[in-house]
């Protein structure tokens, strides 16, 4: 019997804690079932947050020109191509 491995999309957000983003992405990718895709929701924070090419090459970036609040990142899940979606806060490293 062949066991099917589920597909997973992880939605991360970056608002003011961009300093831990690379560590968060590394940790997500080292999980038992790594994600098929990582969507990064970049909500407008009032200050410029520059993302490195290393990070941008690993994620699908969704950038918002306004601060639509904490719930806006859930709309990123609508673009997922996976069976399951995991949405993590910017202060959560699994």
């Amino acid at each position: 019997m062949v066991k099917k491995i589920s597909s997973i999309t992880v939605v991360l957000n970056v608002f003011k804690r961009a300093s831990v983003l690379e560590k968060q992405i590394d940790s997500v990718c080292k999980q038992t079932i790594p994600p098929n895709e990582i969507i990064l929701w970049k909500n407008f924070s009032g200050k410029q947050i520059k993302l490195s090419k290393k990070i941008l090459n690993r994620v699908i970036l969704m950038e918002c020109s306004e601060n639509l609040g904490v719930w806006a990142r859930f709309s990123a899940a609508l673009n997922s191509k996976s069976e399951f979606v995991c949405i993590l806060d910017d202060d959560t490293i699994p």
Side-chain angles (χ1 to χ4, degrees):
M1 179 170 162
V2 176
K3 193 173 191 178
K4 181 184 173 205
I5 296 179
S6 300
S7 58
I8 300 171
T9 293
V10 173
V11 177
L12 303 176
N13 68 299
V14 60
F15 182 65
K16 292 189 178 182
R17 296 185 187 112
S19 60
V20 297
L21 185 58
E22 190 170 344
K23 185 175 181 180
Q24 189 180 35
I25 292 170
D26 288 342
S27 181
V28 163
C29 290
K30 291 177 183 172
Q31 297 301 305
T32 304
I33 302 174
N36 298 66
E37 59 186 0
I38 299 173
I39 298 174
L40 179 62
W41 176 262
K42 186 178 175 191
N43 212 9
F44 180 73
S45 67
K47 69 178 190 177
Q48 186 157 359
I49 296 174
K50 185 146 172 94
L51 301 173
S52 70
K53 281 188 176 187
K54 184 177 179 183
I55 288 175
L56 292 173
N57 288 334
R58 299 174 77 184
V59 301
I60 298 166
L61 179 63
M62 296 181 75
E63 194 166 10
C64 189
S65 61
E66 291 187 41
N67 182 351
L68 298 178
V70 68
W71 302 109
R73 65 189 163 159
F74 289 92
S75 65
L78 296 172
N79 293 293
S80 168
K81 297 175 185 155
S82 302
E83 184 178 6
F84 297 102
V85 177
C86 175
I87 301 174
L88 299 172
D89 285 335
D90 59 354
D91 62 351
T92 304
I93 299 175

